[in-house]
Amino acid sequence: MKNNVPVGIIMGSDSDLPIMQEAAKILDYFEIEYELTIVSAHRTPERLVDYAKKSKSKGIQVIIAGAGGAAHLPGMVASLTELPVIGVPIKTSTLNGLDSLLSIVQMPRGVPVATVAINGSKNAGILAAQIIGLKDSDIQKKVLKYKEEMKEEVVKKADKLEEIGYSEYLK
Amino acid sequence: MKNNVPVGIIMGSDSDLPIMQEAAKILDYFEIEYELTIVSAHRTPERLVDYAKKSKSKGIQVIIAGAGGAAHLPGMVASLTELPVIGVPIKTSTLNGLDSLLSIVQMPRGVPVATVAINGSKNAGILAAQIIGLKDSDIQKKVLKYKEEMKEEVVKKADKLEEIGYSEYLK
Amino acid sequence: MKNNVPVGIIMGSDSDLPIMQEAAKILDYFEIEYELTIVSAHRTPERLVDYAKKSKSKGIQVIIAGAGGAAHLPGMVASLTELPVIGVPIKTSTLNGLDSLLSIVQMPRGVPVATVAINGSKNAGILAAQIIGLKDSDIQKKVLKYKEEMKEEVVKKADKLEEIGYSEYLK
Amino acid sequence: MKNNVPVGIIMGSDSDLPIMQEAAKILDYFEIEYELTIVSAHRTPERLVDYAKKSKSKGIQVIIAGAGGAAHLPGMVASLTELPVIGVPIKTSTLNGLDSLLSIVQMPRGVPVATVAINGSKNAGILAAQIIGLKDSDIQKKVLKYKEEMKEEVVKKADKLEEIGYSEYLK
Amino acid sequence: MKNNVPVGIIMGSDSDLPIMQEAAKILDYFEIEYELTIVSAHRTPERLVDYAKKSKSKGIQVIIAGAGGAAHLPGMVASLTELPVIGVPIKTSTLNGLDSLLSIVQMPRGVPVATVAINGSKNAGILAAQIIGLKDSDIQKKVLKYKEEMKEEVVKKADKLEEIGYSEYLK
Amino acid sequence: MKNNVPVGIIMGSDSDLPIMQEAAKILDYFEIEYELTIVSAHRTPERLVDYAKKSKSKGIQVIIAGAGGAAHLPGMVASLTELPVIGVPIKTSTLNGLDSLLSIVQMPRGVPVATVAINGSKNAGILAAQIIGLKDSDIQKKVLKYKEEMKEEVVKKADKLEEIGYSEYLK
Amino acid sequence: MKNNVPVGIIMGSDSDLPIMQEAAKILDYFEIEYELTIVSAHRTPERLVDYAKKSKSKGIQVIIAGAGGAAHLPGMVASLTELPVIGVPIKTSTLNGLDSLLSIVQMPRGVPVATVAINGSKNAGILAAQIIGLKDSDIQKKVLKYKEEMKEEVVKKADKLEEIGYSEYLK
Amino acid sequence: MKNNVPVGIIMGSDSDLPIMQEAAKILDYFEIEYELTIVSAHRTPERLVDYAKKSKSKGIQVIIAGAGGAAHLPGMVASLTELPVIGVPIKTSTLNGLDSLLSIVQMPRGVPVATVAINGSKNAGILAAQIIGLKDSDIQKKVLKYKEEMKEEVVKKADKLEEIGYSEYLK
């Protein structure tokens, strides 16, 4: 794994990668370095302990952890580090991710996980950027710029919709 | 902790004890020895790892783990031992234990937790006895006898109800 | 049905077989013999009673029962035998298996069903192996080895992912 | 138990009696005879089989079965008799009876249970009266009269409310 | 509409017909006559009132009503007739029929609807046959025979599965 | 009932009155006249038809209908009038009003019910005032004033909280 | 945007347009003018404030706002205008719109949103017409005519179904 | 409000204060300054806009926002600032906070809210400390120390429980 990058992205299984790559992509956009790997709470528990305990000394500042079902990865990592941990509940084939969401967000007093929406890994990346932006005003400016661009994109679409009407727009 | 007892009962917090004592009581009834302690997945993660990894060599055969909310204790213990782990979802003040249930039962392929009903710690104890009973026919006989006694108790109540009628019975 | 096999796998309908075969396959992997058949709680209730009551004398040690919807098979079998019963809630086309899960796990005091995840029949097989492993150290070693293999598989995937990056990995 | 009564009311536990007595009371109102007893699917499974199989020959026409949690009593009775079975989901302390409702109503093709509302045992009694009323026009007339009385009671309350206003009414 | 048939099958929309035809088919199997039509509680409320109020005098004994979403048809019909009404909750595209189920089953005291499973219209037909069978022993015998056939079908499948094994069976 | 009042408030049972009186009180505040009575969809279906059909000719402009459980009153009234109907789902003792909410809001295409929050009868009154305010600018101004007062009340509380601190505030 | 049209249709994203166009189409049917555009609560919050605050002075009488997930658009618009706001919960890919529904309907005391069914934008349009119809009897007549047409369409389908039978009808 | 404090705690209503004070108390423990006030998304929308837009220039680094029901406060603040926003779903009297949770966590792509458990305001405070700790190693050390103290407290309780046994412990 890379050294001295500010964000660690981990996920419980490579089947989570199609979702979790969105966090990586938005960090690329913000030009924030990250490492990305697989750490399974249930199949590699010692790897989890090792990852979480070494993360701070390696220079990581924020950990993004995605998992589905009985999703224990984010909470267990959070229990083992003083760094902020962002949890991404992955949609499941049976309960649509409600199980993942509750397994991640309902943490007991003392150990928070900053939970985003089901499959919300892009927002996990943005949240990491906002947190890192508190120390790095360049990144904070990029976040602000990103928000501006989103706004402009919506306005552009709205203008087009108002101009051509919904039937034309939907073609 | 005691040595060489066949059942380990653990819970995430002493607030779970009023529920989890039912597992202890039914094991007392079956004359199965156990140890009972607090192991918090989130506040004492290393204790969890230690407990789970040493359990087999200490002679434990079945682990009963109760937890509420984002209930990671049973699943994390299961990830760290080859012993069967029974999970007890504790009722929560907000979501009534639906969060605990899904956090415990929805384990990924490879790492099962034998989940019982919300607050079902008595059944966790009975299940432990059934499992130990496979090796110890005395205990299996006690399970059978327990089932007989339950049956008799129901029949006795039914007889009384049929005899005196529901209004009298409810007084 | 086979005689003197330690695991009985039953399911409410042959439509459950695509899911329930996973339990058989993992038992094959552990070289644990089993019988596998259909027992419908609602369409063949007497067959259910017969199956459950004879299971112990036939040599069965653990019963795995899968069912969907108003899933009564695991609980009814559990009511009729002193053996441990593992319940597999099958995903349903309307409520996604939440109905199956609650029908199986929410057993009353006195009669536990060791419930696994929705469609978690592979884990049901592993749990059976863990239980049988308490008596048979060869099987317990295989469970341990299986856990090791899972770990190695994750690590191998993680190494590959770290090496080639997520875009390459997803191709 | 009584012989030759048209309705059998059974429940899984005497803790269901405060709810299930409402079925008895409304049958008393309709002057329909019934027997009322406890039959636990999980603690007295053979009693369940026996009860269900003998019900028709004893003269029973409709069975009302109440149960909570993993509520298997109504469905198992329905599997063992050609008589119509009415299921009453009992409210539970953890999931409020959603578990009971799904365990009773989501029966597979081939074995219906006529399910009423959670804790809806009064309606179970009325439904039994409507069914018996198809053969017995006196009872059908009583059902009709009961509906008339309900209507009058509502109208009387509405008149009072309109007359005295809501503040006075709520005192 | 036909006159003097014992069962009325109604549904809120012709989009419910693919599900509701199963009730018709099983009544055909039992050789029970029925009428089948569309009555929308919300688009044809007066037709609903008319249908419900005339049903008894037309000779109908049991009404089967299917509806989805805010499913008011079964309950409103039940409010307008002394006949037993069977409600079939239709699966919806958004909430999978949980809305339909709760809208049908949670009737207030005084007006029961005999609710079957989501999309359970076949069971609605069987339940109607069981009810009519109380007056017509030929139909009751057919219900019994149907239950026997179901049992045999399960046993035949079980025999085949035991004989050829699951891999062959699944081909 | 009163004649020529712009709002009709109805509810399924007098047990809904403690909640539904809030609609009346806020209409009193806005000095909008209303009639208030009980109309049970299930116990007085003809009264419901009559009420809904006559409402427009009586001068009613908006109907507020509260009901719980299988809450059919708002939707059935909406099916019988061209007036806008506001539905208030009443909290239930079993499912907390989720049943009421889904029974009211999930109306089929063609017949809307303007649904407010569970137990949200005050908001039903405000919504009625907003609708009537479109024709009556005095009422619209009162709505605006009401919104101003709410704002001021919040600001006053905020000022106090900021001034005295939370510990003092909570005493 | 158009000036002086009575209805404003807004949505959080152009991905909501396939659903939200139904509101536009039914308003076309009623010959009610509207403007239709995109206003994102989260990406264009100031546009939201601006839109809501100017709506009344532009002549808008009713606002229809559709949004999905954490759906804040309808409630925030409602907080900023004295006009009635109709909320349309959009179905989501993870929680099917239950999140959207609760985010829209569960508004606090003081700020109602007239919520329709998940994806119920057609009904939002009809509700807007009913509200506007209170001031404009031509529109009210069209609503009445629309209800008549719905009724006739159902009756026509019912007649066809009764005539040709369900098998023919389903072809 | 105070100037130049790193944390802003806001809530939708003073009824949320008993829960939200826990965030303040833990920040007191970490010796992190904060301001605490009421900002209602629905009753004071302009105050919300003002608060969110000025927060960064005032020196705030992290905003903690608690709200219940259709809980729009955290998401709307997040839409108006580049600072990280932590959302606290407040338990509600009807849906227990499931509505609050989904309204806060299910944010669309582009605008994250770091959501904690229902009523999890203490964890919101800890998360804020973890975030601020990235810039301020004294605070990070305090977080670490806090985690140590939690661990010790659990171990102390576990020791006591093991020593005196559960019956004594529960007295």
Side-chain angles (χ1 to χ4, degrees):
Chain A
M1 279 180 262
K2 299 180 198 168
N3 262 320
N4 229 350
V5 297
V7 181
I9 304 174
I10 55 178
M11 65 207 76
S13 159
D14 64 347
S15 65
D16 302 332
L17 191 54
I19 294 300
M20 292 307 293
Q21 66 169 322
E22 287 184 55
K25 283 181 178 164
I26 193 78
L27 290 174
D28 284 336
Y29 171 93
F30 289 127
E31 295 173 285
I32 297 173
E33 282 193 289
Y34 56 88
E35 59 171 38
L36 180 153
T37 192
I38 302 167
V39 177
S40 168
H42 299 120
R43 281 166 292 184
T44 63
E46 282 130 337
R47 181 175 164 87
L48 176 157
V49 173
D50 192 61
Y51 185 92
K53 294 182 88 162
K54 290 194 182 147
S55 53
K56 182 170 173 289
S57 61
K58 280 196 322 189
I60 284 179
Q61 296 176 49
V62 181
I63 296 170
I64 296 173
H72 301 175
L73 183 64
M76 288 312 300
V77 169
S79 79
L80 286 152
T81 178
E82 66 269 46
L83 299 175
V85 175
I86 300 171
V88 182
I90 302 291
K91 185 179 173 181
T92 46
S93 65
T94 48
L95 297 180
N96 290 321
L98 185 66
D99 42 2
S100 324
L101 172 58
L102 297 181
S103 296
I104 291 176
V105 80
Q106 287 292 83
M107 289 291 289
R109 278 185 176 72
V111 188
V113 169
T115 308
V116 294
I118 299 171
N119 278 358
S121 73
K122 184 177 190 174
N123 276 1
I126 297 170
L127 182 57
Q130 289 176 308
I131 291 170
I132 290 167
L134 295 175
K135 288 175 72 172
D136 180 336
S137 63
D138 279 357
I139 285 174
Q140 199 173 50
K141 276 174 205 149
K142 283 180 197 160
V143 170
L144 204 57
K145 186 168 147 277
Y146 176 74
K147 290 176 90 77
E148 282 304 315
E149 286 169 0
M150 282 200 303
K151 187 189 305 182
E152 280 160 29
E153 193 188 8
V154 170
V155 170
K156 209 182 294 173
K157 283 178 174 175
D159 287 348
K160 184 178 161 201
L161 174 56
E162 291 180 37
E163 196 191 316
I164 67 175
Y166 69 85
S167 346
E168 199 62 31
Y169 195 98
L170 282 171
K171 275 177 194 165
Chain B
M1 281 181 260
K2 299 180 198 167
N3 263 321
N4 229 352
V5 298
V7 180
I9 303 174
I10 54 178
M11 63 207 78
S13 158
D14 65 345
S15 65
D16 303 330
L17 190 55
I19 294 299
M20 292 307 292
Q21 64 169 326
E22 287 185 55
K25 283 181 180 165
I26 191 80
L27 290 173
D28 284 336
Y29 171 92
F30 290 128
E31 293 172 285
I32 296 174
E33 282 192 290
Y34 56 86
E35 58 172 40
L36 180 154
T37 191
I38 303 167
V39 178
S40 167
H42 299 119
R43 280 165 295 185
T44 63
E46 283 130 336
R47 181 175 164 86
L48 176 157
V49 173
D50 192 61
Y51 185 90
K53 294 182 88 163
K54 289 193 183 148
S55 52
K56 184 172 171 286
S57 61
K58 280 195 323 188
I60 284 179
Q61 297 177 47
V62 181
I63 296 169
I64 295 172
H72 300 177
L73 182 65
M76 288 313 298
V77 169
S79 80
L80 286 152
T81 179
E82 64 270 43
L83 298 175
V85 175
I86 300 171
V88 183
I90 301 291
K91 185 178 174 183
T92 46
S93 65
T94 49
L95 297 179
N96 290 322
L98 185 66
D99 43 1
S100 324
L101 172 58
L102 297 181
S103 296
I104 291 175
V105 80
Q106 287 292 82
M107 289 291 288
R109 277 184 177 73
V111 188
V113 169
T115 309
V116 294
I118 300 171
N119 278 358
S121 73
K122 184 177 191 174
N123 276 0
I126 297 171
L127 183 56
Q130 289 177 309
I131 290 170
I132 290 167
L134 294 175
K135 289 175 73 172
D136 180 336
S137 62
D138 278 357
I139 286 174
Q140 199 174 49
K141 275 173 206 149
K142 283 179 194 158
V143 171
L144 204 58
K145 186 166 148 278
Y146 176 73
K147 289 175 92 80
E148 282 303 316
E149 287 168 359
M150 281 199 304
K151 187 188 306 182
E152 280 159 30
E153 193 188 7
V154 170
V155 171
K156 209 182 295 173
K157 283 178 173 175
D159 286 348
K160 183 179 164 201
L161 174 56
E162 290 179 40
E163 195 190 316
I164 66 175
Y166 70 86
S167 344
E168 198 63 29
Y169 194 99
L170 281 171
K171 273 176 194 166
Chain C
M1 278 181 262
K2 298 180 198 167
N3 263 321
N4 229 348
V5 297
V7 180
I9 304 174
I10 55 178
M11 65 207 75
S13 157
D14 65 347
S15 65
D16 302 331
L17 191 54
I19 294 300
M20 292 307 292
Q21 65 168 326
E22 288 186 55
K25 283 181 179 164
I26 193 78
L27 290 174
D28 283 336
Y29 171 91
F30 289 128
E31 294 172 284
I32 297 173
E33 282 193 290
Y34 55 87
E35 60 172 37
L36 181 153
T37 192
I38 303 166
V39 178
S40 168
H42 299 119
R43 280 166 293 184
T44 62
E46 281 129 337
R47 182 175 163 88
L48 177 156
V49 173
D50 192 59
Y51 185 90
K53 294 181 87 164
K54 290 195 182 146
S55 52
K56 180 167 175 291
S57 61
K58 280 196 321 187
I60 284 179
Q61 296 177 48
V62 182
I63 295 170
I64 296 172
H72 301 175
L73 183 64
M76 288 312 300
V77 169
S79 79
L80 286 152
T81 179
E82 65 268 45
L83 299 175
V85 175
I86 301 171
V88 182
I90 301 291
K91 185 180 174 183
T92 46
S93 65
T94 48
L95 297 179
N96 290 321
L98 185 66
D99 42 2
S100 323
L101 172 57
L102 298 181
S103 296
I104 291 176
V105 80
Q106 287 292 80
M107 289 291 288
R109 278 185 176 73
V111 188
V113 169
T115 309
V116 294
I118 299 172
N119 278 358
S121 72
K122 186 179 190 173
N123 276 0
I126 297 171
L127 183 56
Q130 288 176 309
I131 290 169
I132 291 168
L134 294 175
K135 288 175 71 172
D136 180 337
S137 64
D138 277 357
I139 285 174
Q140 198 173 50
K141 275 173 206 148
K142 282 179 197 160
V143 170
L144 206 57
K145 186 167 147 278
Y146 176 74
K147 289 175 91 79
E148 281 306 314
E149 286 169 0
M150 281 200 304
K151 186 189 305 181
E152 280 159 32
E153 194 188 7
V154 170
V155 171
K156 208 181 296 174
K157 284 178 173 174
D159 287 347
K160 186 179 162 198
L161 175 55
E162 290 180 39
E163 196 191 315
I164 67 176
Y166 71 85
S167 345
E168 199 62 31
Y169 194 97
L170 281 172
K171 274 175 194 165
Chain D
M1 279 180 260
K2 299 182 198 164
N3 261 320
N4 229 348
V5 298
V7 180
I9 303 174
I10 54 178
M11 64 207 76
S13 158
D14 64 346
S15 64
D16 303 331
L17 191 55
I19 295 299
M20 293 308 292
Q21 65 169 325
E22 288 185 55
K25 282 180 180 164
I26 192 80
L27 289 174
D28 284 337
Y29 171 91
F30 290 128
E31 294 172 286
I32 297 174
E33 283 192 288
Y34 55 87
E35 59 172 37
L36 181 154
T37 192
I38 303 167
V39 178
S40 167
H42 298 120
R43 280 166 293 184
T44 63
E46 282 129 336
R47 181 175 164 86
L48 176 156
V49 173
D50 192 60
Y51 185 91
K53 293 181 89 165
K54 289 195 183 145
S55 52
K56 182 169 173 289
S57 61
K58 280 196 320 189
I60 285 178
Q61 296 178 49
V62 181
I63 295 169
I64 296 172
H72 300 177
L73 182 64
M76 288 312 300
V77 169
S79 81
L80 285 152
T81 179
E82 66 268 44
L83 299 175
V85 175
I86 300 171
V88 182
I90 301 290
K91 185 178 176 183
T92 47
S93 65
T94 48
L95 298 179
N96 290 322
L98 185 66
D99 42 1
S100 323
L101 172 57
L102 297 181
S103 296
I104 291 175
V105 79
Q106 287 293 81
M107 289 292 288
R109 276 184 178 73
V111 188
V113 169
T115 309
V116 294
I118 299 170
N119 277 359
S121 73
K122 185 178 190 175
N123 275 0
I126 297 172
L127 182 56
Q130 289 177 309
I131 290 171
I132 290 168
L134 294 175
K135 288 174 73 173
D136 180 338
S137 62
D138 278 358
I139 286 174
Q140 198 173 50
K141 274 174 207 150
K142 283 180 195 159
V143 170
L144 204 59
K145 187 168 146 276
Y146 176 73
K147 290 176 91 78
E148 282 304 314
E149 286 168 0
M150 281 200 303
K151 186 188 304 181
E152 278 159 32
E153 193 189 7
V154 171
V155 171
K156 210 182 294 175
K157 284 177 173 175
D159 287 348
K160 185 180 164 199
L161 174 56
E162 291 179 40
E163 195 191 316
I164 67 176
Y166 70 86
S167 346
E168 198 63 29
Y169 194 97
L170 281 170
K171 272 176 196 165
Chain E
M1 281 180 260
K2 298 180 197 165
N3 262 320
N4 229 349
V5 297
V7 180
I9 303 175
I10 55 178
M11 65 206 76
S13 158
D14 64 347
S15 64
D16 302 331
L17 191 54
I19 294 300
M20 293 307 292
Q21 64 169 325
E22 288 186 55
K25 282 181 179 164
I26 192 77
L27 290 174
D28 283 337
Y29 171 92
F30 289 128
E31 294 172 285
I32 297 173
E33 282 194 289
Y34 56 86
E35 59 174 39
L36 181 154
T37 192
I38 303 166
V39 177
S40 167
H42 299 119
R43 280 167 292 185
T44 63
E46 282 130 335
R47 181 176 164 88
L48 177 156
V49 173
D50 192 59
Y51 185 90
K53 294 182 86 162
K54 289 193 183 147
S55 52
K56 180 167 175 291
S57 62
K58 279 195 326 190
I60 285 179
Q61 297 178 46
V62 181
I63 296 170
I64 296 172
H72 302 176
L73 183 64
M76 289 311 299
V77 169
S79 79
L80 286 151
T81 179
E82 66 268 45
L83 299 175
V85 174
I86 300 171
V88 182
I90 301 291
K91 185 179 175 183
T92 47
S93 65
T94 49
L95 297 179
N96 291 321
L98 185 66
D99 43 0
S100 323
L101 172 58
L102 297 181
S103 296
I104 291 176
V105 79
Q106 286 292 81
M107 291 291 288
R109 276 184 178 73
V111 188
V113 169
T115 309
V116 293
I118 299 171
N119 278 359
S121 72
K122 185 178 189 174
N123 276 0
I126 297 170
L127 183 56
Q130 290 176 308
I131 291 170
I132 291 169
L134 295 175
K135 289 175 70 172
D136 180 338
S137 62
D138 278 357
I139 286 175
Q140 199 174 47
K141 275 173 205 150
K142 283 179 196 162
V143 170
L144 205 58
K145 187 167 146 277
Y146 176 73
K147 289 176 92 80
E148 282 304 315
E149 285 168 0
M150 282 200 304
K151 186 189 303 180
E152 280 160 30
E153 194 189 6
V154 170
V155 171
K156 210 182 293 175
K157 285 178 172 175
D159 287 348
K160 186 179 161 197
L161 175 55
E162 290 180 39
E163 194 191 316
I164 66 176
Y166 70 85
S167 344
E168 197 63 28
Y169 194 98
L170 281 172
K171 272 174 195 164
Chain F
M1 280 180 260
K2 298 179 197 168
N3 261 320
N4 229 348
V5 297
V7 181
I9 304 174
I10 54 178
M11 65 207 75
S13 158
D14 65 346
S15 64
D16 303 331
L17 191 55
I19 295 298
M20 293 307 293
Q21 65 169 325
E22 288 185 55
K25 283 181 179 163
I26 192 78
L27 290 174
D28 284 337
Y29 171 92
F30 290 128
E31 294 172 285
I32 296 173
E33 283 193 288
Y34 55 87
E35 59 172 38
L36 181 154
T37 191
I38 303 166
V39 178
S40 167
H42 299 120
R43 281 166 292 184
T44 62
E46 281 130 336
R47 181 174 163 88
L48 176 157
V49 173
D50 191 60
Y51 185 90
K53 294 182 87 163
K54 290 195 182 146
S55 53
K56 180 167 175 292
S57 62
K58 281 196 324 190
I60 284 178
Q61 296 178 48
V62 181
I63 296 170
I64 296 172
H72 301 176
L73 182 66
M76 288 312 300
V77 169
S79 79
L80 286 153
T81 178
E82 66 269 44
L83 299 175
V85 175
I86 301 171
V88 182
I90 302 291
K91 185 178 175 184
T92 46
S93 65
T94 49
L95 298 179
N96 289 322
L98 185 66
D99 43 1
S100 323
L101 172 58
L102 297 181
S103 296
I104 290 175
V105 80
Q106 287 292 80
M107 289 291 288
R109 278 185 176 75
V111 187
V113 169
T115 309
V116 295
I118 298 171
N119 276 0
S121 74
K122 185 177 190 174
N123 276 0
I126 297 171
L127 182 57
Q130 289 176 308
I131 291 170
I132 291 168
L134 295 175
K135 289 175 71 172
D136 180 337
S137 62
D138 278 358
I139 286 174
Q140 199 174 48
K141 275 173 205 150
K142 284 179 195 159
V143 171
L144 205 58
K145 187 168 147 276
Y146 176 74
K147 290 175 90 80
E148 282 305 314
E149 287 168 0
M150 281 199 304
K151 188 188 304 182
E152 280 160 30
E153 193 190 6
V154 170
V155 171
K156 209 182 295 175
K157 285 178 172 174
D159 287 348
K160 185 180 162 198
L161 174 57
E162 292 179 38
E163 196 191 315
I164 66 175
Y166 70 87
S167 347
E168 198 62 30
Y169 194 97
L170 281 172
K171 274 173 195 166
Chain G
M1 281 179 261
K2 299 181 199 167
N3 262 320
N4 228 348
V5 297
V7 181
I9 303 174
I10 55 178
M11 65 206 76
S13 159
D14 65 346
S15 64
D16 302 332
L17 191 53
I19 294 300
M20 293 307 292
Q21 64 169 324
E22 287 184 56
K25 282 181 179 164
I26 192 79
L27 290 173
D28 284 337
Y29 171 92
F30 290 127
E31 294 172 286
I32 297 173
E33 283 193 289
Y34 56 87
E35 59 172 39
L36 180 154
T37 192
I38 303 166
V39 177
S40 167
H42 299 121
R43 281 167 293 185
T44 63
E46 281 131 335
R47 181 175 164 88
L48 177 156
V49 173
D50 192 60
Y51 185 90
K53 295 181 88 162
K54 288 192 182 149
S55 53
K56 183 172 172 287
S57 61
K58 280 196 325 189
I60 284 179
Q61 296 177 46
V62 181
I63 296 170
I64 296 172
H72 302 175
L73 183 64
M76 289 311 300
V77 169
S79 79
L80 285 151
T81 179
E82 66 269 44
L83 299 175
V85 175
I86 300 171
V88 182
I90 301 291
K91 185 178 174 183
T92 47
S93 65
T94 50
L95 297 180
N96 289 321
L98 185 66
D99 43 1
S100 323
L101 172 58
L102 298 181
S103 297
I104 291 176
V105 81
Q106 287 292 81
M107 291 290 289
R109 276 186 178 72
V111 187
V113 169
T115 309
V116 293
I118 299 171
N119 278 359
S121 73
K122 185 177 189 173
N123 275 1
I126 297 170
L127 182 57
Q130 289 177 308
I131 291 170
I132 291 168
L134 295 174
K135 288 175 72 173
D136 181 336
S137 63
D138 277 357
I139 286 174
Q140 199 173 49
K141 275 173 205 150
K142 283 180 195 159
V143 171
L144 204 58
K145 187 169 146 276
Y146 176 73
K147 290 176 90 80
E148 282 303 315
E149 286 168 2
M150 282 200 302
K151 187 189 305 183
E152 279 161 30
E153 194 189 6
V154 170
V155 170
K156 210 183 293 173
K157 284 178 173 175
D159 287 347
K160 186 181 161 197
L161 175 56
E162 291 180 38
E163 195 191 317
I164 67 176
Y166 70 85
S167 345
E168 198 63 29
Y169 194 99
L170 281 171
K171 274 177 194 165
Chain H
M1 280 180 262
K2 299 180 197 166
N3 262 321
N4 229 350
V5 297
V7 180
I9 303 173
I10 55 177
M11 65 208 76
S13 159
D14 64 347
S15 64
D16 302 331
L17 191 54
I19 295 299
M20 292 308 293
Q21 66 169 324
E22 288 184 55
K25 284 181 178 163
I26 192 78
L27 290 173
D28 284 336
Y29 171 92
F30 290 128
E31 294 171 285
I32 297 173
E33 282 192 291
Y34 56 87
E35 59 172 38
L36 180 154
T37 191
I38 302 166
V39 178
S40 167
H42 298 120
R43 280 166 293 183
T44 62
E46 282 129 338
R47 180 174 163 88
L48 177 157
V49 173
D50 191 61
Y51 185 90
K53 295 182 89 163
K54 290 194 182 146
S55 53
K56 179 168 176 290
S57 62
K58 280 196 323 190
I60 284 179
Q61 297 177 47
V62 182
I63 295 169
I64 296 172
H72 300 176
L73 182 66
M76 288 313 299
V77 169
S79 80
L80 285 152
T81 179
E82 64 269 45
L83 299 174
V85 176
I86 300 171
V88 183
I90 302 291
K91 184 178 175 184
T92 46
S93 65
T94 49
L95 298 179
N96 290 322
L98 184 66
D99 44 0
S100 323
L101 172 58
L102 297 181
S103 296
I104 290 175
V105 80
Q106 287 292 81
M107 289 291 288
R109 278 185 174 74
V111 187
V113 169
T115 309
V116 294
I118 300 171
N119 277 0
S121 73
K122 184 177 191 174
N123 276 0
I126 297 171
L127 183 57
Q130 288 176 309
I131 291 170
I132 290 167
L134 294 175
K135 289 175 72 171
D136 181 336
S137 62
D138 278 357
I139 286 174
Q140 199 174 48
K141 275 173 206 148
K142 283 180 197 160
V143 171
L144 205 57
K145 187 168 146 278
Y146 176 74
K147 289 176 91 78
E148 282 304 315
E149 287 168 359
M150 280 199 304
K151 187 188 305 182
E152 281 160 30
E153 192 189 7
V154 170
V155 171
K156 207 181 298 174
K157 284 178 174 176
D159 287 347
K160 184 179 163 200
L161 175 55
E162 291 178 40
E163 195 190 315
I164 66 175
Y166 69 87
S167 344
E168 198 63 30
Y169 194 98
L170 281 172
K171 275 175 193 166

